[in-house]
Amino acid sequence: MKSMMDVFEHTLQDIYYAENALTKALPKVAAAATNPELKKGISEHLAETKQQIKTLDAVFKAVGKKAQGEKCDAIDGLIKETEGVIDEAKSDKARDIAIIGCCQAVEHYEIARYGTLREWAKVLGHNEAHDLLSSILDQEKAANSKLTNLAVAQANKK
Ligand code: ZN
Ligand code: FE
Ligand code: FE
Ligand code: FE
């Protein structure tokens, strides 16, 4: 990597890999959840994630680069951690709460990445890419807020 564009492209490949990894991991997470609202929320975000990959294809196109992923160690670690707590949880309630926490860690990772990427796109003069990345960022923020609301509702039930 030499230029800002190189760094932008590398990070775009990183999040492209991450979204693809999530489409493979989320069905297992939804299946492990007990709370119907949590299950539904994860399934809906899975559908949204598949759309995000298409939006990322459009971002690659807008900046004149080939759509491809590059291994993201962070998302692999977050997914591994999620699978770990699912296995370790001894009750449905504990598992649901742990799943919410893990999903929020993923959303925060995505929010960090998209927040950075969209600003870089703007600086690089790629306004279409900036707008597309901003639309995904909004979805990730909304997903995170939903999880926060679910966590509060779950905790209040105790
Ligand atoms: Zn990387
Ligand atoms: Fe995403
Ligand atoms: Fe990464
Ligand atoms: Fe997300």
Side-chain angles (χ1 to χ4, degrees):
M1 288 186 287
K2 261 187 178 173
S3 65
M4 185 177 194
M5 187 61 207
D6 294 339
V7 181
F8 174 82
E9 188 186 2
H10 182 90
T11 308
L12 195 59
Q13 291 172 343
D14 175 283
I15 199 72
Y16 193 72
Y17 172 101
E19 297 290 12
N20 277 288
L22 288 168
T23 60
K24 281 175 210 140
L26 284 176
K28 282 179 272 170
V29 182
T34 303
N35 179 289
E37 261 182 274
L38 177 59
K39 242 185 207 310
K40 190 168 156 263
I42 296 167
S43 298
E44 282 170 1
H45 198 52
L46 170 61
E48 213 163 43
T49 300
K50 289 175 182 167
Q51 278 308 119
Q52 289 173 353
I53 292 169
K54 289 185 180 156
T55 305
L56 287 176
D57 284 330
V59 173
F60 276 108
K61 203 171 172 213
V63 300
K65 300 284 179 188
K66 185 177 165 259
Q68 60 180 32
E70 168 178 315
K71 189 172 165 33
C72 168
D73 293 324
I75 206 71
D76 284 346
L78 288 170
I79 289 169
K80 207 174 166 189
E81 203 168 65
T82 307
E83 290 168 349
V85 297
I86 286 171
D87 287 345
E88 282 167 42
K90 298 276 190 293
S91 74
D92 291 348
K93 188 147 202 156
R95 193 177 308 104
D96 278 357
I97 290 167
I99 286 172
I100 293 171
C102 288
C103 287
Q104 285 199 277
V106 170
E107 297 314 321
H108 280 90
Y109 178 69
E110 293 181 298
I111 289 166
R113 279 287 179 252
Y114 286 114
T116 301
L117 277 166
R118 72 146 175 192
E119 295 310 322
W120 284 347
K122 200 175 182 177
V123 173
L124 289 162
H126 288 296
N127 292 323
E128 192 192 342
H130 168 86
D131 292 349
L132 291 167
L133 291 163
S134 296
S135 72
I136 303 179
L137 177 63
D138 289 344
Q139 291 180 336
E140 308 298 13
K141 284 181 179 170
N144 182 56
S145 298
K146 266 193 203 172
L147 288 163
T148 301
N149 292 339
L150 260 178
V152 171
Q154 283 273 91
N156 286 345
K157 261 189 240 166
K158 289 214 159 175

